[in-house]
Amino acid sequence: MDIYILAIESSCDDTSAAVLRNDVLLSNVIANQKVHHEFGGVVPELASRAHQQNIIPVVEAAIRTANIDKKDLSAVAFTRGPGLLGSLMVGVSFAKSFAWSLGIPIISVDHMQAHIMANFLRVEGEEKHAPEFPFLCLTVSGGHTQIVKVNNPFDGEIIGKTIDDAAGETFDKAAKILGLPYPGGPVIDKLAKEGDPKRFSFAKPRIPDFDYSFSGLKTSILYFLRDELKKDNDFIENNKADLCASIQFTIVDILKEKVEKAIQKTKLKTLALAGGVSANSELRTAMKDLAEKYGLDLHIPKMSYTTDNAAMIGMLAHFHYLKKDFSDWDVTPYATGSN
Ligand code: KG4
Ligand code: ZN
């Protein structure tokens, strides 16, 4: 019998719902919250309120697009964490009530494990090309930066992580310093295309093993601009593209260096990329270069599955369903860690 899963994602500022039939994605609806743009970052209170407004229309649209009846559903999955508690609470509560009313089980999903599962998604008619376990995955988002040895859908060994800021956060903070809108990653990516990545150089961290640090880079950008602006008031405006290209080059170079080290150490033959920053064009190219150099099977999610989406939640939930790994009704969200 086919397994139909409705998945809900509400961990940050995107309200998303998706429907999967077995491992095939039938719909993936995402409502972005524009309300945060003028504040230069996500305002948690406003995010929870916007999720409340969006959740029903988004779920309705996902079910309609999937062309199924809600009575066909086998389970309702949701992001349990990590994320903003108020935002998660909206998705968790909605999923519980919806599943309860239909008499079907609930499946709670970890957001970071789900990002990795974006590499397994496919739509009707698309051939299966999923990474083979175990594989190496660079998971880079607004809140996390990790190198993970993925043993199976539920077991990811974190072999390296950031000790301070995440890569996406660094893109966003750099953009803010440059006076660019939130979220800064996609804006920097776009402007960088016209710029010279070698024009300016910034301090790179010296952190042992496979860990990352990005807070020094942020300070280095800040001090550099402070000095340049003293000489030329329009320095940022006159050098915007070169600044974006140079900042992006530095972040990607830092990410690439540790991934290369991890490839050499683990000798794994499959490499994957995941998380919001995996949308970055320069990072995608850097991973392709590494895959070519070491003869690896490379998996990069489609653009629509890079930033937060419910399709990836549904994909991981599908694996939970196969193990009959359902959640208790008293499950609550978590903001950090894994419980
Ligand atoms: O995974 P995600 O949607 O949310 C979290 O779980 O954090 O990631 C959002 C992050 C933001 O920091 C955003 O600036 C970054 O992903 N991002 C990008 C690009 N698209 C999104 N960073 C660099 N280049 C991009 N093209
Ligand atoms: Zn995310």
Side-chain angles (χ1 to χ4, degrees):
M1 215 170 98
D2 286 329
I3 305 163
Y4 286 93
I5 292 178
L6 168 69
I8 290 159
E9 154 64 32
S10 72
S11 65
C12 193
D13 60 340
D14 295 300
T15 319
S16 179
V19 176
L20 278 90
R21 185 183 58 237
N22 305 315
D23 65 345
V24 173
L25 180 67
L26 300 181
S27 64
N28 183 37
V29 178
I30 306 173
N32 302 114
Q33 303 180 357
K34 302 268 178 288
V35 62
H36 308 287
H37 290 195
E38 62 178 292
F39 297 100
V42 177
V43 184
E45 284 287 316
L46 296 178
S48 334
R49 207 180 301 187
H51 283 304
Q52 284 280 18
Q53 288 170 335
N54 293 340
I55 192 117
I56 293 198
V58 164
V59 167
E60 254 184 352
I63 292 176
R64 196 177 344 108
T65 311
N67 207 12
I68 61 154
D69 189 280
K70 56 181 190 278
K71 290 194 185 67
D72 299 330
L73 290 171
S74 322
V76 181
F78 57 88
T79 305
R80 189 177 164 205
L84 301 169
L85 264 188
S87 292
L88 289 163
M89 209 91 85
V90 177
V92 176
S93 305
F94 178 88
K96 280 189 193 182
S97 335
F98 200 64
W100 180 261
S101 72
L102 293 168
I104 54 176
I106 47 170
I107 300 173
S108 73
V109 162
D110 180 85
H111 184 84
M112 297 315 294
Q113 285 173 356
H115 263 304
I116 298 174
M117 289 300 119
N119 286 291
F120 290 70
L121 283 164
R122 64 185 176 115
V123 293
E124 189 88 72
E126 216 170 3
E127 231 177 275
K128 210 174 196 155
H129 177 59
E132 266 183 42
F133 298 106
F135 61 90
L136 203 60
C137 186
L138 173 68
T139 314
V140 266
S141 70
H144 295 78
T145 297
Q146 303 170 337
I147 300 177
V148 188
K149 182 183 172 225
V150 188
N151 296 317
N152 63 52
F154 323 103
D155 178 18
E157 255 172 77
I158 299 170
I159 60 172
K161 61 179 186 323
T162 181
I163 59 164
D164 41 56
D165 294 349
E169 194 179 357
T170 310
F171 270 107
D172 296 338
K173 284 180 177 171
K176 201 169 182 175
I177 296 170
L178 296 177
L180 300 171
Y182 176 86
V187 185
I188 291 187
D189 193 354
K190 192 164 168 227
L191 290 170
K193 290 193 192 334
E194 311 294 321
D196 174 4
K198 299 279 174 65
R199 172 86 188 284
F200 307 111
S201 59
F202 300 102
K204 286 212 299 180
R206 288 170 187 275
I207 305 287
D209 303 323
F210 307 103
D211 285 339
Y212 289 110
S213 167
F214 287 101
S215 63
L217 172 60
K218 183 191 61 195
T219 316
S220 163
I221 296 169
L222 210 55
Y223 286 171
F224 171 73
L225 289 177
R226 186 195 57 188
D227 293 345
E228 293 301 326
L229 284 167
K230 272 187 205 153
K231 293 180 249 165
D232 171 11
N233 229 338
D234 297 324
F235 182 79
I236 294 179
E237 207 43 52
N238 293 338
N239 298 283
K240 208 171 249 178
D242 287 346
L243 280 166
C244 287
S246 302
I247 291 168
Q248 176 170 279
F249 175 81
T250 312
I251 296 174
V252 170
D253 203 41
I254 294 170
L255 290 169
K256 185 180 176 185
E257 197 179 302
K258 294 295 175 96
V259 173
E260 179 157 21
K261 226 173 145 181
I263 293 168
Q264 290 168 346
K265 174 85 191 294
T266 61
K267 307 213 163 24
L268 289 168
K269 282 292 166 200
T270 305
L271 177 66
L273 190 59
V277 184
S278 69
N280 186 266
S281 54
E282 196 63 36
L283 181 60
R284 292 166 93 93
T285 306
M287 291 300 113
K288 280 177 198 151
D289 291 347
L290 282 179
E292 211 160 281
K293 183 170 172 188
Y294 292 93
L296 310 176
D297 181 25
L298 178 67
H299 294 261
I300 298 182
K302 268 192 206 164
M303 282 306 226
S304 49
Y305 311 145
T306 53
T307 48
D308 290 347
N309 64 85
M312 67 187 197
I313 305 300
M315 192 67 241
L316 180 52
H318 171 75
F319 291 111
H320 279 292
Y321 191 98
L322 295 179
K323 286 179 63 193
K324 297 274 176 276
D325 186 8
F326 304 126
S327 286
D328 292 331
W329 292 104
D330 61 357
V331 62
T332 53
Y334 52 84
T336 54
S338 60
N339 51 55

